[in-house]
Amino acid sequence: MPTFHLQIVTPDGGFYDGDAEKLIVRALGGDVCILPRHAPFVTALGAGEAIVVIQGQQRIAACAGGMLAVTQEDVRLVATTFEWAEDIDKSRAQRAKEEAERRIQNAKDSHELEMAKAKLSRALARIKAAG
């Protein structure tokens, strides 16, 4: 099966660097699927589930924030948060969801509200990815 070179990086450093057959991520406008020989493309990332197919195996991750850049040479996903499903602590993600919901209810201004909504989106992405 054809592949493309995929680099996934986070603020903590390199996360994945190798070949992939498919990448599906949540962009701000909705889900985007990248396959080999995709046209050059750049988009900002939202929060949601990411699917990466490597050597015929589908891996699921939580991905939030950042950007995706597709060039003729490679695909780079620079994410604020990227976490493989098997590495997600489900109870911690649930607690983060509950805390974000509490903060939304108690937000004193629009900045606090937007920050709480972003935290909720990230927590929901982690919960969904973890199953």
Side-chain angles (χ1 to χ4, degrees):
M1 174 159 266
T3 63
F4 55 90
H5 182 243
L6 173 62
Q7 290 181 315
I8 301 172
V9 296
T10 67
D12 297 328
F15 196 88
Y16 177 79
D17 190 352
D19 289 336
E21 297 156 20
K22 181 192 293 186
L23 170 66
I24 301 172
V25 292
R26 173 77 38 91
L28 291 180
D31 288 349
V32 175
C33 179
I34 305 299
L35 297 170
R37 297 181 292 282
H38 194 287
F41 179 75
V42 175
T43 189
L45 298 175
E49 188 176 72
I51 299 171
V52 184
V53 178
I54 302 166
Q55 295 180 345
Q57 299 295 312
Q58 180 174 289
R59 293 197 69 192
I60 296 174
C63 180
M67 66 168 282
L68 173 69
V70 179
T71 67
Q72 292 192 9
E73 291 79 37
D74 60 11
V75 176
R76 289 190 187 109
L77 188 145
V78 180
T80 303
T81 300
F82 193 93
E83 193 173 3
W84 294 120
E86 61 269 18
D87 296 332
I88 295 171
D89 179 335
K90 293 179 189 177
S91 60
R92 182 174 167 238
Q94 183 64 38
R95 287 191 308 271
K97 174 187 171 281
E98 291 164 3
E99 174 64 16
E101 289 171 336
R102 186 187 65 73
R103 287 181 180 211
I104 287 170
Q105 292 297 319
N106 297 323
K108 292 179 177 47
D109 58 40
S110 62
H111 177 72
E112 279 186 26
L113 180 61
E114 290 307 311
M115 294 297 291
K117 285 180 178 179
K119 287 177 189 264
L120 179 60
S121 292
R122 187 174 135 221
L124 291 172
R126 293 178 74 233
I127 290 167
K128 183 176 182 193

